[in-house]
Amino acid sequence: MQYTLNMAAESEFDEEEEPLFSDPEDFVEDTDDEELLEDVLTERPLEADGIDSVVVVDNVPQVGPERQEKLKNVIHKIFSKFGKITNDFYPEAAGTTKGYMNISDQWETPEKQPFKDFGNMRHWLEDADCRDQYSVIYESGERTAIFSNDPKEPMLDEERARWTETYVRWSPKGTYLATFHQRGIALWGGEKFKQIQRFSHQGVSLIDFSPCERYVVTFSPLMDTKEDPQAIIIWDILTGHKKRGFHCESSAHWPIFKWSQDGKFFARMTQDTLSIYETPSMGLLDKKSLKISGIKDFSWSPGDNIIAFWVPEEKDIPARVTLMQFPSRLEIRVRNLFNVVDCKLHWQRQGDYLCVKVDRTPRGTQGVVTNFEIFRMREKQVPVDVVEMKESIIAFAWEPNGSKFAVLHGESPRINASFYHVKSNGKIELIKMFDKQQANSIFWSPQGQFMVLAGLRSMNGALTFVDTSDCTIMYMAEHYMASDVEWDPTGRYVVTSVSWWSHKVDNAYWLWTFQGRLLQKNNKDRFCQLLWRPRPPSLLSQEQIKAIKKDLKKYSKIFEQKDRLSQSKASKELVDKRRLMMEEYRQYKDSAIQLYNQQRELRLQLRGGVDTDELDSNVEDWEEETIEFFINEEIIPLGELE
């Protein structure tokens, strides 16, 4: 609609005025807020974030730590009669509960709390030589150490006795190190591994982090009661507060809760039910669970908020695999399956592909046939391709950043390793098969392309290093009775180890290059566990990473020079030490010259005005002396002179 100024007003202006944009009185807006302010409304507070459901209890007895658990149970028992308690908080003062709180009717601005500076929580990423860290537990758990990896020998960063009572675990981005104790969990981080947070959960045995590192989930088989769900607790890492507790019948399939890739949702499966919760409220999404009769297993996509789950056959209804998007609960793909014995869900790390391993018993046969149902998630309507294998399947693994997957199949001693490629035209191509492999496990490099086929424990530690770009075996080796294989985050190094927890002799960890060259044999008394510290996602875009790879030759000379320096007798540590000594000498020399110049006038006074700083300052006082030394005498016969 167009608006114009009236003639009387228009005559007062020499230049044309902008038109008015006011709506007429009878105008009705037909565009909703969701369309106009979609990006703003996504950040709006949730209903559960308010204080309308908060109960404040006064006159609580003042008790110390030894009686707090009993007090909490009593209060929880009283108030759980009136509704479900999501979480609770007990203020403390001088080591005891505060007791009576005098709450004023007048609003007072909360006191600003001092900021706790834990230092640089990602300092290890600033290492000049880009060394990755790893944790080592040895002496049957009595000692825990943090090392920086170096091809020559590990560099000790931190070591403590009885740092943990069982084992340790890194958070997904490497920010925190979690240690286990009878009374709960402690998180450590920063340059000197200070204690960042602790969570009281008596008898805790298992934990899990959300991918965003905002929450940690703890499990204890000792704490659960019918009135007070305490077996599983979800904690806020930043505040240390309990967010919510849950019952748990069994921890056999840990983690009980599985997280979406962004940490906004977590889900749990019970009989005929799939419950999806949202953060930060920790309440059920849309306040209701999904009723899925016979649900057997589910898994979140690593790249999107999509859940895959499968349901077995029931009478004349076929088994099915369903892909459901959240929070909309939209079914984006359903795949019906027949004669199904079991299914396993395998996501590619970017969420580009989903492989459903389907074990079937075709009609008229007695054996089990395995189908790999490959869902291509990035394509319209999610097409599915099938690979059928009639041999028993030992292991399956996707290439982390690619479109290849590896399968171990057959029966010992004739175990075959097959490599497949999901091509862009939708076809799945067998690119290579190695027969008679001594392997029962597949370990891809985190960066893809390279892998280790390992025969762990019962297969005596046989190792095969493979380059899947052309499917060639780079090297074959053995680490006798190896129980674990761990790749570093960069994919340059891999560790094989024999844990004291699984084998009581030959406990050690060996460091290899990705090509299979053995660099170190580190023997530790009753060595138990080695875990590489994860790295957070790169801040570089895919275009920047491609540009760096394209121009890698520009940096190769610098890398080669550093490699030669590290391999020479004059190691980097020795060169740094000499450089420091030279710098200290220069500083001393400069200070000595400065002091010498400052004392010049004093020297002149002491020497009667004679400047003795110069060699030719007082020639007339010189005395010359000649000193002769008899060095040697040799007698030569006259005959020899001729």
Side-chain angles (χ1 to χ4, degrees):
M1 186 175 292
Q2 186 177 5
Y3 299 90
T4 57
L5 295 171
N6 61 50
M7 298 300 295
E10 187 177 8
S11 63
E12 299 178 6
F13 296 90
D14 296 331
E15 298 179 0
E16 183 180 356
E17 289 289 325
E18 293 184 357
L20 299 175
F21 294 97
S22 301
D23 294 326
E25 294 182 359
D26 59 345
F27 177 78
V28 178
E29 177 63 70
D30 59 356
T31 306
D32 57 20
D33 291 343
E34 280 71 17
E35 183 176 349
L36 290 173
L37 302 170
E38 181 180 3
D39 56 337
V40 176
L41 292 178
T42 55
E43 302 297 329
R44 64 184 171 185
L46 299 174
E47 181 180 355
D49 293 340
I51 60 172
D52 54 332
S53 58
V54 173
V55 176
V56 179
V57 182
D58 285 344
N59 205 24
V60 175
Q62 293 179 314
V63 299
E66 68 281 355
R67 299 183 60 197
Q68 282 188 18
E69 204 61 46
K70 185 176 181 180
L71 171 65
K72 291 179 181 180
N73 291 336
V74 172
I75 293 177
H76 198 282
K77 183 176 181 180
I78 294 173
F79 286 91
S80 60
K81 299 176 182 178
F82 306 100
K84 187 175 182 179
I85 300 175
T86 303
N87 53 61
D88 51 24
F89 174 65
Y90 290 79
E92 295 183 6
T96 65
T97 52
K98 277 191 174 181
Y100 182 77
M101 296 175 60
N102 186 14
I103 302 177
S104 172
D105 294 334
Q106 301 296 323
W107 165 255
E108 294 182 4
T109 304
E111 182 181 352
K112 187 176 181 180
Q113 298 297 318
F115 172 70
K116 293 182 179 179
D117 186 6
F118 295 111
N120 184 1
M121 297 294 287
R122 294 185 172 177
H123 75 284
W124 86 98
L125 298 175
E126 298 178 353
D127 183 81
D129 293 313
C130 302
R131 298 184 184 94
D132 282 288
Q133 289 185 332
Y134 57 81
S135 61
V136 172
I137 298 177
Y138 59 102
E139 291 186 7
S140 65
E142 287 295 309
R143 301 196 70 82
T144 303
I146 309 297
F147 292 95
S148 287
N149 179 44
D150 188 89
K152 294 185 65 178
E153 59 180 351
M155 302 172 62
L156 181 63
D157 294 323
E158 192 73 26
E159 185 178 29
R160 298 177 190 175
R162 294 178 293 279
W163 199 351
T164 183
E165 294 179 15
T166 53
Y167 60 101
V168 300
R169 179 165 176 185
W170 295 101
S171 60
K173 299 179 181 179
T175 308
Y176 308 104
L177 177 70
T179 57
F180 289 71
H181 310 272
Q182 181 60 29
R183 297 182 60 183
I185 295 293
L187 298 186
W188 312 79
E191 190 170 355
K192 297 297 182 182
F193 285 94
K194 299 177 182 177
Q195 188 177 104
I196 307 299
Q197 198 60 267
R198 59 181 178 178
F199 309 98
S200 178
H201 199 182
Q202 191 76 17
V204 61
S205 59
L206 297 168
I207 68 169
D208 187 40
F209 287 92
S210 64
C212 58
E213 291 188 339
R214 179 64 192 271
Y215 307 102
V216 62
V217 186
T218 59
F219 167 77
S220 171
L222 307 178
M223 299 299 296
D224 210 15
T225 61
K226 185 176 181 181
E227 300 81 12
D228 184 17
Q230 295 271 359
I232 298 177
I233 299 179
I234 300 181
W235 307 85
D236 187 308
I237 290 179
L238 296 179
T239 64
H241 294 164
K242 172 185 172 183
K243 299 294 291 185
R244 184 171 177 178
F246 294 88
H247 290 296
C248 182
E249 292 75 24
S250 171
S251 63
H253 300 287
W254 185 262
I256 303 298
F257 290 103
K258 299 178 183 180
W259 291 87
S260 64
Q261 47 86 28
D262 56 5
K264 290 184 178 180
F265 305 99
F266 58 99
R268 178 183 189 177
M269 183 185 71
T270 52
Q271 185 175 3
D272 299 331
T273 303
L274 182 61
S275 301
I276 295 90
Y277 302 84
E278 57 185 342
T279 60
S281 67
M282 304 298 162
L284 272 172
L285 180 64
D286 298 332
K287 299 182 180 179
K288 60 182 179 181
S289 298
L290 285 169
K291 297 300 179 182
I292 307 172
S293 178
I295 182 171
K296 284 291 187 180
D297 193 15
F298 77 98
S299 181
W300 285 95
S301 164
D304 307 276
N305 287 342
I306 295 173
I307 280 183
F309 63 87
W310 81 276
V311 177
E313 296 177 78
E314 185 178 359
K315 296 181 180 179
D316 296 331
I317 303 175
R320 70 184 188 276
V321 174
T322 303
L323 298 175
M324 184 175 289
Q325 197 171 46
F326 288 91
S328 65
R329 305 191 185 213
L330 175 67
E331 291 186 355
I332 60 177
R333 187 68 162 89
V334 177
R335 177 77 167 176
N336 291 329
L337 304 168
F338 299 91
N339 305 316
V340 174
V341 178
D342 191 21
C343 286
K344 299 295 182 187
L345 307 172
H346 301 276
W347 285 97
Q348 186 252 14
R349 195 168 70 180
Q350 264 63 45
D352 297 337
Y353 305 99
L354 167 66
C355 173
V356 181
K357 174 182 170 288
V358 184
D359 294 331
R360 300 169 53 246
T361 53
R363 291 180 181 178
T365 63
Q366 294 182 347
V368 175
V369 174
T370 298
N371 283 4
F372 293 112
E373 308 267 340
I374 309 297
F375 292 70
R376 287 178 276 142
M377 300 297 299
R378 304 304 180 194
E379 298 182 33
K380 190 175 182 180
Q381 297 181 341
V382 191
V384 180
D385 300 301
V386 180
V387 176
E388 182 177 284
M389 304 193 76
K390 296 183 179 180
E391 295 181 305
S392 60
I393 306 301
I394 299 171
F396 172 96
W398 281 104
E399 181 182 22
N401 297 324
S403 54
K404 295 193 287 286
F405 62 87
V407 184
L408 292 177
H409 53 96
E411 299 288 344
S412 181
R414 297 187 61 87
I415 295 176
N416 302 321
S418 295
F419 301 90
Y420 292 85
H421 179 212
V422 183
K423 305 184 75 172
S424 57
N425 60 8
K427 294 183 179 180
I428 300 178
E429 178 186 11
L430 173 63
I431 53 179
K432 189 72 174 180
M433 185 179 76
F434 298 131
D435 60 358
K436 297 182 180 179
Q437 293 296 304
Q438 290 184 307
N440 55 17
S441 303
I442 302 170
F443 298 95
W444 281 95
S445 161
Q447 305 304 320
Q449 182 177 343
F450 304 102
M451 66 153 53
V452 174
L453 301 176
L456 301 181
R457 297 177 176 87
S458 60
M459 302 192 80
N460 294 333
L463 305 171
T464 304
F465 294 81
V466 182
D467 181 354
T468 64
S469 63
D470 53 4
C471 285
T472 57
I473 294 178
M474 298 181 292
Y475 196 73
M476 299 182 71
E478 180 183 283
H479 186 176
Y480 183 69
M481 293 305 296
S483 58
D484 300 279
V485 175
E486 296 282 347
W487 281 94
D488 85 314
T490 68
R492 292 180 295 174
Y493 304 100
V494 62
V495 164
T496 60
S497 60
V498 180
S499 172
W500 183 80
W501 290 334
S502 60
H503 194 64
K504 299 305 180 184
V505 295
D506 300 326
N507 305 128
Y509 66 92
W510 295 2
L511 180 72
W512 311 74
T513 68
F514 68 95
Q515 297 168 317
R517 182 164 60 91
L518 182 60
L519 299 176
Q520 301 172 16
K521 291 185 178 181
N522 295 292
N523 298 315
K524 289 287 185 182
D525 179 31
R526 289 164 290 166
F527 163 84
C528 298
Q529 180 196 50
L530 181 146
L531 291 177
W532 290 96
R533 187 173 193 173
R535 287 192 171 203
S538 173
L539 299 177
L540 300 176
S541 65
Q542 289 299 320
E543 290 74 19
Q544 290 172 318
I545 293 175
K546 288 180 180 178
I548 292 174
K549 290 182 178 179
K550 183 179 179 181
D551 299 334
L552 195 59
K553 290 184 178 180
K554 293 196 307 185
Y555 312 107
S556 61
K557 292 183 179 179
I558 301 175
F559 298 151
E560 290 171 359
Q561 183 179 2
K562 286 188 174 182
D563 288 342
R564 286 194 300 268
L565 181 62
S566 64
Q567 294 171 3
S568 64
K569 293 182 179 179
S571 65
K572 182 179 183 302
E573 291 78 9
L574 182 59
V575 171
D576 290 342
K577 183 178 179 180
R578 290 173 176 173
R579 186 179 292 113
L580 179 62
M581 293 174 64
M582 178 58 73
E583 183 62 28
E584 291 176 348
Y585 165 73
R586 287 172 180 164
Q587 292 178 0
Y588 172 77
K589 178 182 176 182
D590 293 341
S591 62
I593 291 175
Q594 184 179 4
L595 179 63
Y596 178 78
N597 293 332
Q598 290 175 353
Q599 294 177 344
R600 177 181 174 82
E601 294 299 326
L602 179 61
R603 287 196 300 275
L604 288 173
Q605 294 177 10
L606 292 174
R607 296 169 184 173
V610 177
D611 184 6
T612 58
D613 292 351
E614 303 296 334
L615 291 177
D616 56 354
S617 60
N618 195 15
V619 180
E620 57 273 11
D621 291 339
W622 287 7
E623 292 185 4
E624 184 175 349
E625 292 186 4
T626 302
I627 301 176
E628 296 180 353
F629 294 93
F630 179 76
I631 299 175
N632 190 18
E633 180 180 8
E634 186 175 358
I635 301 175
I636 302 175
L638 293 176
E640 293 184 5
L641 292 176
E642 298 177 356

